Amino acid sequence: MTMMWKVAPALACGNTMLYKPSESTPITARRVAELFAEAGMPPGVLNVVPGLGDTAAALVKDYPQIRKVSVTGSLGTGMNVAQQSAATLKRTTLELGGKSPLLIFEDATLESAVNVAIMGNFANNGQVCSNCTRVYVHKNILNDFLELLVSRLKQSVVMGNNMNTSTNMGPLIMPPLSPSSHFDRVKGFIDRAKQDPRATLIYGGNTTEPSPSSGEGGYFVEPTVFQCDTDDMELVREEVFGPVMAVMAFESEEEAVSRANDSIYGLGAGVMTNDAKRAHRLAKQLIAGNIWINNWNLSPIEMPFGPFKMSGYGNECGVHAIENYSQVKHVNFEMGEVAASDTYF
């Protein structure tokens, strides 16, 4: 999906393109390029260049012919690309990290709220930048929400090999040079939260590593839910990029909005409510590029998808994506004689 969000508008605008996939997930991009070639795409129009981070850095820094750079990645990666691009004034689109809030109000349909929270946290094993990893629940329904959430997770989650159709949650990604590094990072967040008296483990927290003898298996992290007493803790402030949900209680609408906006990130935000006026009011007040009401992560290709604040800038999808991969040119064509005029002197 991420690849096509970039490739489709770039090629539609008549550009040639270099696509550098994540070193952890290069195979899909290569297959997409093969399909383009099989469909008759001329050589050199779409070029997939696999490699580590220094490959992308070299492309940005050393090739002035490249006039546009689009990045989906971490905050650190985006800041580095923006700095490298500035040397030759390359136009950039950055879709970076997120710590998106979901606000669940007392009038929300509880089952839908639980389903949205699960979908918005644990899709793709929690490895989605726009996931709603901060879940704010009105205090009057907090206990009911947590009870139903735990019940639903126990009933529905089947962990295992992604190639097995009976499973719905696989292992974390394995970076090629350090296969356990992402797992270790996610596990570190969980372990530190377990030791923090301000956090209570509600569900999960277990992890499994590959067999030391055979190497079989993967790096699995069980869907994990913490109830947090304060926003001023690592688990609530920083992007985990794994299946870890932080749940906090709130009392008033004003408090919920203030806490939701208190983040360096601004990729997504959501509201669960049956009050249409509240939904529209909060959609204006929440500082994020993508607002979902009573759902999460729906991104029709016709709609722009873009970040606010330190989550980046620029938009994927829709007419806004076309604007990112094209430039406006002013052409003035005089059809008659040009007479001498004192206005030029």
Side-chain angles (χ1 to χ4, degrees), residues 3 22 42 45 83 94 127 131 137 151 164 176 185-186 202 212 227 231 240 245 252 267 286 293 301 329 344:
M3 180 180 182
S22 166
V45 175
Q83 185 178 31
L94 306 178
Q127 299 166 127
N131 273 359
V137 184
S151 174
N164 187 334
R185 183 179 182 276
V186 174
I202 302 298
Q227 182 180 346
D231 297 349
V240 179
M245 179 194 303
S252 70
L267 187 52
L286 291 167
I293 308 297
I301 196 68
K329 180 184 290 186
Y344 295 117

Side-chain angles (χ1 to χ4, degrees), residues 133-270:
T133 51
R134 291 187 291 148
V135 179
Y136 293 94
V137 184
H138 193 278
K139 68 173 187 176
N140 291 347
I141 61 169
L142 177 62
N143 291 337
D144 292 339
F145 172 84
L146 290 174
E147 181 180 349
L148 184 56
L149 174 66
V150 170
S151 174
R152 190 63 52 80
L153 289 173
K154 287 180 178 179
Q155 294 171 5
S156 61
V157 176
V158 181
M159 302 184 69
N161 190 325
N162 283 335
M163 303 304 291
N164 187 334
T165 56
S166 66
T167 67
N168 55 24
M169 192 164 186
L172 298 181
I173 58 171
M174 297 171 60
L177 296 185
S178 180
S180 69
S181 59
H182 183 55
F183 168 82
D184 292 339
R185 183 179 182 276
V186 174
K187 185 175 183 296
F189 276 101
I190 295 173
D191 291 344
R192 290 188 294 275
K194 288 179 178 179
Q195 300 301 315
D196 193 325
R198 301 169 296 175
T200 302
L201 180 63
I202 302 298
Y203 182 83
N206 299 309
T207 60
T208 304
E209 301 182 45
S211 168
S213 57
S214 66
E216 294 181 353
Y219 292 96
F220 288 89
V221 176
E222 188 178 17
T224 300
V225 180
F226 283 96
Q227 182 180 346
C228 301
D229 295 337
T230 175
D231 297 349
D232 188 25
M233 53 188 299
E234 177 190 58
L235 189 66
V236 184
R237 307 300 296 181
E238 297 187 23
E239 184 179 33
V240 179
F241 211 67
V244 185
M245 179 194 303
V247 180
M248 289 73 64
F250 71 88
E251 296 187 17
S252 70
E253 179 180 309
E254 294 75 18
E255 174 200 350
V257 172
S258 176
R259 293 170 67 184
N261 287 336
D262 185 20
S263 171
I264 66 171
Y265 297 109
L267 187 52

Side-chain angles (χ1 to χ4, degrees), residues 107 253 273-285:
D107 69 320
E253 179 180 309
T273 181
N274 284 312
D275 184 339
K277 289 184 178 180
R278 168 184 284 149
H280 284 287
R281 183 169 61 247
L282 267 60
K284 293 177 65 176
Q285 295 175 9

